Amino acid sequence: KSFGEHPYLRIFLESAGGSAGALTSLARRVDELCKAGSAGVPVNGKIGDVQDPLLLALLDVGLASPRWDSEGKARVAVAPKLARSTLSAWVETLLAEQPLLSRLQCRLALWSSSSSSATSSSTAPSSS
């Protein structure tokens, strides 16, 4: 199966609620994974303990791979830039296919979450 038809992706979308909420949740997670790059996102426990249906789908179809940081903690990464670009473009296509109101709600939610995280990171105390 392709990623777009993967049963774990369907589980992820169903657990996220309505179509606009599910799409917003998917877009946020994909954005987080793509921004993390080859460093990946942390997982709780071992790679075999991953329960997140989106990460499971990405791992299953080969778009993501397991990684370990310098402390030996497990992470999942969408490492190749081409894979990250393809995944981002796929989400953009899903957004473009939505009715205008759903698309605007999703964009607003993504914008407000990215601007609030940028604000919190710029106001966070420096570690130096």
Side-chain angles (χ1 to χ4, degrees):
K1 288 218 177 241
S2 71
F3 175 70
E5 300 171 341
H6 201 284
Y8 284 133
L9 180 61
R10 193 169 341 134
I11 291 168
F12 176 84
L13 293 172
E14 288 170 1
S15 70
S19 65
L23 194 52
T24 300
S25 183
L26 176 65
R28 278 186 183 135
R29 293 285 293 162
V30 166
D31 186 54
E32 174 190 3
L33 283 162
C34 291
K35 284 181 179 173
S38 60
V41 295
V43 298
N44 294 325
K46 299 180 258 175
I47 287 293
D49 297 335
V50 171
Q51 303 255 331
D52 181 329
L54 179 61
L55 293 181
L56 288 170
L58 289 166
L59 287 164
D60 191 40
V61 299
L63 284 172
S65 59
R67 304 280 176 167
W68 287 266
D69 63 19
S70 59
E71 299 171 2
K73 294 182 182 171
R75 303 178 76 77
V76 172
V78 179
K81 189 171 184 170
L82 178 60
R84 291 193 303 270
S85 298
T86 302
L87 201 52
S88 292
W90 176 73
V91 169
E92 286 297 321
T93 301
L94 289 178
L95 281 172
E97 293 172 348
Q98 298 302 305
L100 180 61
L101 183 57
S102 295
R103 194 169 51 227
L104 290 174
Q105 288 171 330
C106 183
R107 293 273 184 218
L108 179 61
L110 292 171
W111 175 79
S112 63
S113 69
S114 68
S115 64
S116 67
S117 66
T119 303
S120 64
S121 66
S122 67
T123 60
S126 172
S127 61
S128 44

